[in-house]
Amino acid sequence: MKLTLEKFLSTDTKILSKFLNIFIISSIIIYLAPYVFLGSKNYFTVTDNLDSVYADFKVLLESGKLFSSNISLIEQPLGGLPRSSMSSQFNFMFLLYYLFGPETTYIIVRVLMTLVGFFGMKLFLDNHILKKKDEKIISLSISLCFSILPFTFYSFLSVAAMPLVLYALLEIRKGKYYTKNWMIIFMYPFFSSFVVYGFFFLFIPFFILLKDLVNKKKSAHFLLSIILLLLFFIFVEYRLFDQFLLSNQFVSHRIEKFSIKNFNLYNSIKVFVKFIFNGGSDANSLQGPIIVPFILISTLFMIPKSKKDWNKILFLYVITSIILITVIKAGFPPFSNIINFLNDYIPFNFKRFVSLYPLLWMLALALVLSHLQSIHSSLKLITISILILQTLNSFKNHEFIKNINFYDNPNVESFFAKKQFSEIKNYINKPINSYRVASIGLHPSISLYNGFYTADGYFVNYPLEYKKKFRKIIEKELNKDKNLKSYYDNWGNRVYLFSSELGRKHFIYKSENKILLKNLDYNWKALYDLNVRFIFSSVKIDISNIDKLKFKKKFVNELSAWDIYLYQLIEK
């Protein structure tokens, strides 16, 4: 038995290699299968996905103003949004939407994330971290674990391609000025988001450059590659830079955002522990149940004994970075004060440094496994065990698995309920651009996706003036719930018809719909002045004391996740 185990673990035989190849290919196929085969029957994440960007790309593309000037208005959402409020036309997501439509684009993006994540991480590890022949097992294992993380759809390749871009930058730093490396750097901004991810990723090559300068190492081409990456980001996101730095077309609602409160020590520690073990929604690295305990136990073996312990020194850099990022996220003073000061001048949410989590945690894991394997070859069993356990953890957190079991989440077809909303459109029987709608108990993205013009919506950048105007409509409801008030005033991306009776519950599926709104108190005249003529509500409203609302009809469809109560707003 001992001989068989040694034979299995030996890199000189094809047994281990064959096992790894079969396991990796099978895992990737199984992971991608729900996306490829289920189509609109799939269960996609709602938050920051179906409730926003999934519909936003469609709205902008269908507006015919993809290439219009920043000051032109996209009429359909939020009472009319400046073009600069929405994504750049140079984001390749639009090309996919144009060629294939939303559902197929989602599938393509998921496949790209997995493949780019796998091969990018493998290139990065093989060429810059794990250079020994017998470390191939670690490289393959980490690459698989990284590639099947639950990357968010709107991130596109922002996180999945980080190892690939870092590989290209470091290749140039080593003097390998190959065309492929420059092309990777050139293409990355077209497949990623600068505001949410790219800005924070740039800190990694910047600190490597800083280290080179301190060590008096020549880094001219490396510096050039970083500058070019930044310039390509500026080119792709020129609308954003133009708005905030040059033309100042409107005052963004973001100036009232992102203040990090000075938490008390207990709350800060609680947030710190939560993110160390659970990660963040923007870039979930699934480190909690397996990677964190393993690294904590192994840390004693990773203390450098000399300056030649390069892997151990790098490990300390990585772990220190993770801790610092989490400290910023938790809002420990004095970091919270520094971030609040920076936010007065730079409209970035610095909590999003957690978007570096997947890259950093996987790198830390690779370094630990590398060291343990160098102690004795039999410790490859640890790598195989981590691979299997982490793969199972990824499947447990698969988008399909999580959403099919979460609050009776609907599939894509049921969520957008195209047939039901087509019935509503035909019932109203007016030119769809002649009136606006607003929603209660369901996301405005549904109305937008189905072609309606809305007064509400979920957008990360829109005029502060509109935020204040809409606040007058929901002011009395906000005053009933301090948490809801803080949610709108201190964040405000969701411009929704909030109700104190529903709280932060933005959606009420028909399977849980036993609610009657008895004390809805809006400024109905202000809502009417925004040209809102109809309210779509997933819950019934007691209108006995609301003379400006008239119930029209309840729309029911067995394929829809919603029962829609249609109310007409009338002027009195």
Side-chain angles (χ1 to χ4, degrees):
M1 183 66 186
K2 181 179 179 181
L3 181 61
T4 305
L5 181 61
E6 288 178 352
K7 187 177 180 181
F8 175 73
L9 295 175
S10 173
T11 54
D12 295 330
T13 68
K14 295 181 180 180
I15 300 175
L16 179 58
S17 177
K18 188 176 291 186
F19 166 78
L20 283 173
N21 290 336
I22 292 173
F23 185 84
I24 288 169
I25 293 171
S26 301
S27 296
I28 289 175
I29 290 174
I30 294 170
Y31 190 83
L32 294 176
Y35 297 109
V36 176
F37 295 112
L38 291 180
S40 63
K41 303 295 184 183
N42 211 329
Y43 290 79
F44 296 162
T45 302
V46 173
T47 304
D48 293 335
N49 191 27
L50 298 186
D51 65 354
S52 50
V53 292
Y54 190 89
D56 295 346
F57 281 110
K58 180 176 181 288
V59 167
L60 180 53
L61 195 61
E62 292 178 351
S63 72
K65 295 185 177 181
L66 187 62
F67 296 93
S68 297
S69 67
N70 274 354
I71 60 174
S72 62
L73 285 182
I74 311 301
E75 298 289 348
Q76 191 182 344
L78 215 63
L81 271 179
R83 174 63 188 87
S84 58
S85 293
M86 303 185 78
S87 298
S88 167
Q89 66 270 26
F90 296 123
N91 187 319
F92 272 33
M93 187 80 80
F94 285 113
L95 178 61
L96 295 177
Y97 259 70
Y98 176 76
L99 293 175
F100 304 106
E103 291 171 11
T104 305
T105 294
Y106 205 96
I107 297 168
I108 293 172
V109 168
R110 282 294 171 191
V111 172
L112 282 174
M113 285 176 177
T114 302
L115 296 182
V116 171
F118 179 82
F119 290 107
M121 179 62 82
K122 191 171 188 311
L123 282 170
F124 170 60
L125 293 176
D126 286 347
N127 289 275
H128 298 285
I129 306 298
L130 309 173
K131 301 177 182 179
K132 297 177 183 177
K133 182 182 177 182
D134 63 351
E135 291 179 326
K136 181 181 178 182
I137 178 178
I138 301 174
S139 172
L140 287 170
S141 299
I142 297 297
S143 298
L144 175 63
C145 292
F146 179 78
S147 69
I148 58 176
L149 289 175
F151 303 121
T152 56
F153 171 67
Y154 67 83
S155 72
F156 205 179
L157 297 183
S158 299
V159 180
M162 281 183 184
L164 180 63
V165 180
L166 194 53
Y167 155 79
L169 289 167
L170 293 177
E171 287 289 283
I172 291 170
R173 180 172 174 260
K174 287 168 60 176
K176 297 182 179 181
Y177 312 130
Y178 303 143
T179 302
K180 66 173 184 178
N181 296 326
W182 296 106
M183 284 302 298
I184 290 170
I185 291 169
F186 169 71
M187 294 298 291
Y188 182 56
F190 293 89
F191 291 86
S192 60
S193 167
F194 178 71
V195 173
V196 183
Y197 301 98
F199 173 78
F200 305 101
F201 172 74
L202 282 170
F203 277 78
I204 295 177
F206 173 78
F207 280 115
I208 295 173
L209 176 66
L210 201 61
K211 182 176 179 294
D212 286 348
L213 294 175
V214 171
N215 294 332
K216 297 181 180 181
K217 180 179 178 179
K218 292 182 179 179
S219 303
H221 285 85
F222 184 50
L223 172 61
L224 177 62
S225 66
I226 297 171
I227 293 173
L228 286 176
L229 181 57
L230 177 59
L231 289 176
F232 293 145
F233 268 123
I234 293 173
F235 171 76
V236 171
E237 300 289 354
Y238 77 93
R239 293 183 184 276
L240 183 71
F241 285 91
D242 177 49
Q243 178 195 325
F244 282 100
L245 299 179
L246 301 175
S247 58
N248 194 25
Q249 295 139 7
F250 65 86
V251 178
S252 173
H253 84 291
R254 296 174 73 89
I255 67 168
E256 290 190 339
K257 293 175 58 179
F258 307 144
S259 68
I260 299 178
K261 299 175 183 177
N262 290 318
F263 298 133
N264 61 45
L265 183 61
Y266 171 75
N267 284 338
S268 291
I269 292 173
K270 188 166 67 172
V271 172
F272 181 89
V273 172
K274 175 185 175 183
F275 274 86
I276 283 291
F277 281 92
N278 297 325
S281 58
D282 291 323
N284 195 342
S285 41
L286 302 182
Q287 74 274 14
I290 300 161
I291 297 175
V292 172
F294 176 69
I295 287 179
L296 285 174
I297 294 170
S298 305
T299 299
L300 291 175
F301 299 99
M302 299 302 291
I303 299 173
K305 295 180 180 179
S306 71
K307 292 182 179 180
K308 294 182 179 180
D309 285 343
W310 182 83
N311 275 18
K312 292 182 179 180
I313 293 172
L314 179 58
F315 173 80
L316 291 183
Y317 275 122
V318 173
I319 291 299
T320 301
S321 299
I322 289 173
I323 292 172
L324 181 59
I325 287 170
T326 316
V327 164
I328 292 172
K329 182 70 178 180
F332 281 97
F335 295 99
S336 57
N337 306 93
I338 296 171
I339 297 305
N340 287 336
F341 172 78
L342 290 174
N343 283 151
D344 290 336
Y345 304 96
I346 306 174
F348 287 97
N349 183 353
F350 285 89
K351 292 181 179 181
R352 293 193 186 276
F353 268 112
V354 293
S355 64
L356 302 179
Y357 259 16
L359 174 62
L360 295 177
W361 278 112
M362 290 299 165
L363 178 54
L365 179 60
L367 291 168
V368 171
L369 291 173
S370 172
H371 175 67
L372 292 179
Q373 189 170 296
S374 69
I375 297 174
H376 196 279
S377 62
S378 64
L379 293 178
K380 289 177 186 176
L381 280 174
I382 295 178
T383 301
I384 296 171
S385 300
I386 293 289
L387 169 65
I388 295 172
L389 291 173
Q390 188 64 18
T391 301
L392 292 174
N393 189 32
S394 288
F395 280 114
K396 177 186 174 184
N397 287 275
H398 192 290
E399 184 177 24
F400 176 79
I401 301 297
K402 285 192 72 174
N403 288 297
I404 198 173
N405 293 322
F406 181 74
Y407 290 130
D408 295 322
N409 261 9
N411 58 36
V412 179
E413 182 182 37
S414 298
F415 183 85
F416 287 111
K418 288 190 276 189
K419 289 184 179 180
Q420 186 179 32
F421 278 82
S422 179
E423 293 174 12
I424 297 173
K425 195 181 301 181
N426 293 334
Y427 178 84
I428 293 174
N429 195 27
K430 292 182 179 180
I432 202 165
N433 61 353
S434 66
Y435 62 91
R436 292 193 181 275
V437 303
S439 302
I440 299 173
L442 67 159
H443 295 286
S445 64
I446 300 167
S447 299
L448 287 170
Y449 189 88
N450 285 288
F452 288 95
Y453 285 58
T454 69
D456 48 358
Y458 177 10
F459 292 92
V460 298
N461 181 28
Y462 65 92
L464 176 63
E465 179 186 6
Y466 193 83
K467 179 184 178 183
K468 293 181 176 180
K469 186 185 294 185
F470 200 89
R471 193 189 190 285
K472 293 178 181 178
I473 296 170
I474 58 176
E475 183 174 11
K476 292 180 180 178
E477 289 296 318
L478 295 182
N479 289 337
K480 296 176 186 178
D481 186 331
K482 64 179 182 180
N483 292 324
L484 209 55
K485 182 178 180 180
S486 175
Y487 183 65
Y488 186 82
D489 290 345
N490 297 326
W491 190 58
N493 282 5
R494 294 189 191 273
V495 188
Y496 282 23
L497 285 180
F498 290 116
S499 161
S500 59
E501 294 172 76
L502 297 179
R504 291 276 297 274
K505 182 73 172 173
H506 307 311
F507 49 90
I508 306 295
Y509 299 133
K510 64 184 180 184
S511 59
E512 55 184 343
N513 188 355
K514 298 178 181 179
I515 298 173
L516 173 65
L517 296 183
K518 299 178 180 179
N519 300 295
L520 202 58
D521 196 359
Y522 296 143
N523 185 331
W524 298 104
K525 183 181 183 305
L527 193 59
Y528 189 90
D529 289 343
L530 292 180
N531 197 33
V532 174
R533 297 296 180 265
F534 296 96
I535 302 292
F536 298 160
S537 178
S538 66
V539 296
K540 191 173 182 180
I541 303 171
D542 181 357
I543 60 172
S544 58
N545 295 316
I546 306 175
D547 59 359
K548 293 184 181 296
L549 270 192
K550 181 180 180 182
F551 174 69
K552 300 297 291 184
K553 186 179 179 181
K554 179 182 179 181
F555 290 85
V556 178
N557 186 294
E558 62 179 7
L559 296 178
S560 170
W562 324 94
D563 287 338
I564 304 296
Y565 296 85
L566 177 65
Y567 295 89
Q568 184 174 9
L569 191 59
I570 55 180
E571 186 177 21
K572 285 191 177 182

